[in-house]
Amino acid sequence: MYFQAGHSAVTPPLCPAIGAIDVIVDSADLAGLFLIGAIDDHIDRANHSCRIRSRRAAEEGSGSAKFGNFFHHLGKKEPSHETYDSINGPSKITFLLQAVRNAAAADEARQMAAVLLRRLLSSSFEEVYPSLPADVQNAIKSELLLVIQLEAQSSMRKKLCDIVAELARNLIDDDGNNQWPEALKFLFDSVNSQDVGLRESALHIFWNFPGIFGNQQQHYLEVIKRMLVQCMQDQNHPEIRTLSSRAAGAFVLANEHNVPLLKHFADLLPGILQSVNESCYQNDDSVLKSLVEIADTVPKYLRPHLEATLQLSLKLCADTNLSNMQRQLALEVIVTLSETAAAMLRKHTSIVAQAIPQMLAMMVDLEDDEDWSNADELEDDDFDSNAVAGESALDRMACGLGGKIVLPMIKEHIMQMLQNPDWKYRHAGLMALSAIGEGCHQQMEGILNEMVNFVLLFLQDPHPRVRYAACNAIGQMATDFAPAFQKKFHEKVIASLLQTMDDQANPRVQAHAAAALINFTEDCPKSLLVPYLDNLVKHLHSIMVVKLQELIQKGTKLVLEQVVTSIASVADTAEDKFVPYYSLFMPSLKHIVENAVQKELRLLRGKTIECISLIGLAVGKEKFMQDASDVMHLLLKTQTDFSELEDDDPQVCIQKNDLIYAHADDHALELSPAYK
């Protein structure tokens, strides 16, 4: 017999089989003992009924005390990991289960115990569970199902369901046999219960582990479908509709290669879509996330209702009343399908034509920031912004669907944006050009001359962020259309970028112009670059001198980092033609390596090491010999201190991948990692 969810604060008696656990303490007193962390001190009191197996009594008594102490601190949010880790695995299961079912304990402690128990079953099942006696295993399974029925708190009940799902996952043997049939009975009984909490529990378990039926799944397929349909049609409980839609999505994903099953469950999709719509307006994006996963993994499941799926996604994306994350997730459904099911999506070009303006509208969602031009640190928190999401979506859709479809749909939109008096639209238009270059490569080649001439005009735009976007477009086109871009536009582009790099009032623009120059020179043929070397070197050196002074006086480094990389790129392309300029840069570069030792300058130092490496390769042993000893000393010192560098330190990556190979005398002087 299964119980309804109760509301008693008193912990119910343990299942009879739980007596097989080595130490049993009366439950009401156990709660208090856990909280004071002194189980072993009270275990022999006369009013306690204890049953201790002789062989492991001392060991388990000690474990109880350790866990009691841990649990005491857990309630205070100061858990002792050392105490917990010292308890053996099998004992942890029983102690954690006792803690979970202790209704008198603090909520935080019980929930943490539930999390720990699930993690234990997930990470160490083979080490901790099979070694338990059979009667203890049965007791744990019975107790878990019972405590779900008795739990009154929704959040705690979900954590208990997570434990059941994890245990069930591990109790499916290699042949697909479910070794916990009582769990299946619990599912069926609960999903048909009048108790909403039990129905939620059944759906939560099934969502967490849709493979719970094992090799009996085909036998129960109609029952599973009726269960999900019944719950999706529950008009009185929206949470049941949401959970059943999530469970249906999880089941589809778990059976992604079972084509007959996917066809059989295709008529559940309208219910899932309805739940996506309803839940989003309840500030719940969980079903929408499931839809994104389906679009990514099982896109063919959406085919029978693809138009409805796309229309819903477009509607949600356009609704500014929803959160940015929900709108981005809705757009993600369409973009993901352009990657995973391009042929399907190409049959719905009207949706694509409506989605593109939505992406562009997101890209216009920018904020005015007076400090933007002088920001020296590029923050990562913008990566979840609408502007970045829209740009990424446009890039991916262009690559997924191709330029034949995307370019005709977007070209006029971009031209209108570039003529808009609002800087945000001009910025978005230029960033859109950057985004579609790779996917629309073939179609854009024919109009490249027109585009480049147009984009170069925006390097003179009155707004610095538009000039920044123009630099971005030039740099991206230099990569996407190389080397034809360099051959056709070298004179215009180099002159324009050098002029933009002189914009001392807007360091962010300066830095991005230098970044665009890097893109240009990386794929530029040596013969094309050499005639511009004098002018390039003059500009790069003058800017480096100014920015070195600013580093010393103000601590600013963003432009200097990009200029150093620009020097490296020019030297790498020019090779031996860079020899006359060697002495102009090397003293300053060595100075940076020697003195830029603070943590906040690690990227600058790493880029400078790379720059010295490439200059050394470019000029050869005869020129580099005079500085080889100094550079060797500085780099070996960095390698000596290698263990002190953090894993994400740029110097680590650079020393691993790209340190100096030069020559001194008749022997190779290899300033490479010590571990090479």
Side-chain angles (χ1 to χ4, degrees):
M1 177 179 177
Y2 290 88
F3 295 84
Q4 300 297 315
H7 302 281
S8 173
V10 179
T11 306
L14 292 161
C15 296
I18 212 78
I21 298 177
D22 301 297
V23 181
I24 303 298
V25 183
D26 178 78
S27 60
D29 291 317
L30 179 65
L33 295 177
F34 268 145
L35 288 173
I36 62 173
I39 289 179
D40 56 333
D41 293 338
H42 297 268
I43 211 153
D44 292 324
R45 288 186 179 180
N47 62 334
H48 285 267
S49 172
C50 301
R51 186 167 56 188
I52 303 176
R53 292 187 174 185
S54 57
R55 181 178 174 183
R56 294 171 61 193
E59 178 183 326
E60 292 296 338
S62 173
S64 300
K66 289 176 180 176
F67 189 78
N69 186 46
F70 172 79
F71 193 72
H72 170 58
H73 289 293
L74 196 63
K76 295 181 176 181
K77 299 184 180 180
E78 298 173 357
S80 169
H81 296 290
E82 293 180 1
T83 302
Y84 178 73
D85 292 340
S86 68
I87 304 170
N88 66 65
S91 296
K92 281 180 184 175
I93 290 184
T94 58
F95 291 143
L96 287 169
L97 183 56
Q98 288 174 335
V100 164
R101 66 184 305 281
N102 178 13
D107 290 342
E108 294 88 345
R110 293 183 64 222
Q111 296 206 24
M112 179 58 75
V115 170
L116 291 172
L117 181 52
R118 182 190 61 77
R119 288 179 182 172
L120 184 65
L121 292 172
S122 175
S123 62
S124 308
F125 177 83
E126 293 298 333
E127 291 79 23
V128 301
Y129 189 84
S131 61
L132 292 170
D135 51 353
V136 177
Q137 293 182 17
N138 290 331
I140 290 171
K141 291 187 287 188
S142 299
E143 187 69 14
L144 281 171
L145 298 180
L146 176 61
V147 76
I148 287 177
Q149 299 167 74
L150 297 166
E151 181 57 53
Q153 293 187 22
S154 176
S155 60
M156 184 65 190
R157 193 164 56 243
K158 287 179 182 178
K159 288 182 170 57
L160 293 169
C161 291
D162 291 336
I163 298 171
V164 168
E166 192 58 50
L167 182 56
R169 182 180 287 109
N170 284 284
L171 290 176
I172 300 286
D173 65 20
D174 293 339
D175 297 321
N177 296 307
N178 186 322
Q179 301 175 74
W180 192 5
E182 297 84 0
L184 296 182
K185 184 178 185 305
F186 173 78
L187 277 186
F188 289 132
D189 289 347
S190 297
V191 83
N192 291 303
S193 170
Q194 295 301 309
D195 188 301
V196 177
L198 285 180
R199 290 161 67 192
E200 286 182 359
S201 297
L203 290 168
H204 191 88
I205 292 170
F206 186 61
W207 164 75
N208 200 317
F209 181 38
I212 194 169
F213 291 91
N215 57 19
Q216 295 298 303
Q217 178 175 288
Q218 188 63 34
H219 176 73
Y220 287 111
L221 210 54
E222 285 302 323
V223 177
I224 295 170
K225 185 175 181 179
R226 282 200 304 270
M227 173 186 78
L228 293 172
V229 170
Q230 173 187 323
C231 292
M232 283 184 183
Q233 294 175 347
D234 187 335
Q235 298 303 313
N236 298 320
H237 302 98
E239 65 274 18
I240 295 294
R241 296 198 297 272
T242 297
L243 270 173
S244 58
S245 297
R246 293 179 66 195
F251 189 67
V252 166
L253 290 166
N255 294 277
E256 59 178 294
H257 301 299
N258 190 337
V259 177
L261 183 148
L262 295 177
K263 290 182 178 178
H264 186 58
F265 277 72
D267 51 355
L268 267 65
L269 183 54
I272 294 175
L273 295 178
Q274 183 179 349
S275 184
V276 167
N277 188 56
E278 291 177 355
S279 59
C280 278
Y281 289 100
Q282 298 299 320
N283 201 31
D284 179 356
D285 56 19
S286 59
V287 191
L288 180 54
K289 288 178 179 176
S290 296
L291 187 61
V292 172
E293 288 187 72
I294 291 172
D296 183 43
T297 308
V298 205
K300 289 183 179 180
Y301 177 73
L302 303 175
R303 178 180 286 164
H305 302 281
L306 184 58
E307 179 72 21
T309 302
L310 295 171
Q311 289 288 2
L312 173 62
S313 301
L314 196 61
K315 165 184 169 289
L316 296 175
C317 176
D319 193 340
T320 55
N321 293 314
L322 295 175
S323 70
N324 287 346
M325 180 55 67
Q326 289 173 319
R327 295 177 61 205
Q328 291 171 25
L329 283 169
L331 179 60
E332 181 66 24
V333 174
I334 302 174
V335 175
T336 299
L337 286 170
S338 75
E339 297 172 322
T340 61
M344 284 168 46
L345 195 58
R346 287 191 186 105
K347 296 176 182 178
H348 296 267
T349 53
S350 62
I351 296 291
V352 178
Q354 294 174 71
I356 286 176
Q358 292 300 326
M359 299 176 200
L360 295 172
M362 283 186 167
M363 294 174 66
V364 177
D365 189 3
L366 298 165
E367 293 183 5
D368 285 295
D369 182 359
E370 294 181 358
D371 299 324
W372 180 89
S373 289
N374 294 301
D376 199 55
E377 295 286 347
L378 303 184
E379 300 294 337
D380 292 340
D381 55 5
D382 286 340
F383 287 115
D384 59 355
S385 68
N386 277 343
V388 173
E391 182 184 347
S392 173
L394 194 55
D395 178 15
R396 291 164 56 198
M397 182 169 280
C399 291
L401 297 181
K404 283 185 179 180
I405 289 180
V406 173
L407 187 60
M409 292 181 178
I410 198 173
K411 185 178 177 182
E412 288 305 315
H413 289 291
I414 291 177
M415 294 305 294
Q416 290 174 15
M417 295 174 80
L418 292 177
Q419 297 172 49
N420 195 298
D422 187 336
W423 72 266
K424 296 177 182 179
Y425 286 84
R426 301 197 301 279
H427 179 281
L430 290 165
M431 297 302 285
L433 268 181
S434 304
I436 65 173
E438 182 181 0
C440 301
H441 183 279
Q442 187 175 350
Q443 290 71 30
M444 289 175 68
E445 279 185 323
I447 56 172
L448 195 57
N449 188 63
E450 173 191 346
M451 285 195 308
V452 171
N453 289 332
F454 198 45
V455 170
L456 287 174
L457 295 176
F458 288 93
L459 290 175
Q460 307 295 326
D461 193 274
H463 201 285
R465 294 181 71 170
V466 176
R467 298 198 296 275
Y468 175 96
C471 291
N472 195 85
I474 292 295
Q476 193 62 53
M477 286 191 288
T479 298
D480 291 338
F481 297 96
F485 182 89
Q486 283 79 355
K487 292 177 181 178
K488 290 181 180 179
F489 308 112
H490 53 87
E491 184 176 358
K492 297 177 182 178
V493 169
I494 291 177
S496 297
L497 290 178
L498 289 179
Q499 183 180 354
T500 308
M501 286 174 66
D502 288 335
D503 187 359
Q504 299 287 350
N506 296 281
R508 286 281 290 275
V509 177
Q510 269 189 299
H512 218 49
L517 183 63
I518 294 166
N519 284 29
F520 184 89
T521 55
E522 277 181 345
D523 294 305
C524 186
K526 177 181 176 180
S527 59
L528 289 179
L529 191 66
V530 168
Y532 299 98
L533 273 179
D534 282 343
N535 198 24
L536 280 168
V537 167
K538 176 184 175 182
H539 274 81
L540 291 172
H541 181 257
S542 63
I543 295 172
M544 186 174 76
V545 170
V546 172
K547 296 306 172 182
L548 267 174
Q549 289 300 315
E550 289 184 6
L551 175 64
I552 296 169
Q553 296 169 4
K554 304 177 184 178
T556 54
K557 61 194 180 301
L558 179 64
V559 179
L560 186 57
E561 289 169 354
Q562 292 291 12
V563 167
V564 166
T565 307
S566 299
I567 295 166
S569 182
V570 169
D572 187 41
T573 300
E575 296 177 324
D576 59 307
K577 299 299 182 181
F578 195 78
V579 171
Y581 313 107
Y582 174 85
S583 57
L584 196 61
F585 292 106
M586 189 56 65
S588 297
L589 295 172
K590 286 166 59 180
H591 179 80
I592 293 173
V593 173
E594 185 173 6
N595 294 284
V597 293
Q598 299 89 338
K599 183 177 179 179
E600 61 271 18
L601 299 179
R602 59 187 185 175
L603 179 59
L604 172 61
R605 190 171 192 264
K607 286 177 176 285
T608 306
I609 293 171
E610 182 182 37
C611 182
I612 293 173
S613 305
L614 292 172
I615 290 176
L617 280 170
V619 302
K621 65 178 182 180
E622 298 299 332
K623 192 67 178 176
F624 187 65
M625 181 187 300
Q626 56 188 322
D627 291 301
S629 179
D630 292 342
V631 176
M632 171 75 89
H633 175 74
L634 292 172
L635 296 186
L636 289 181
K637 182 179 185 303
T638 302
Q639 291 176 6
T640 302
D641 298 338
F642 192 77
S643 60
E644 299 177 10
L645 299 179
E646 297 179 14
D647 291 340
D648 62 345
D649 194 313
Q651 297 172 82
V652 174
C653 298
I654 289 169
Q655 291 193 70
K656 282 182 179 178
N657 299 311
D658 197 21
L659 284 188
I660 293 176
Y661 293 86
H663 294 277
D665 298 324
D666 296 325
H667 304 283
L669 172 62
E670 191 174 282
L671 301 188
S672 57
Y675 45 78
K676 188 178 188 311

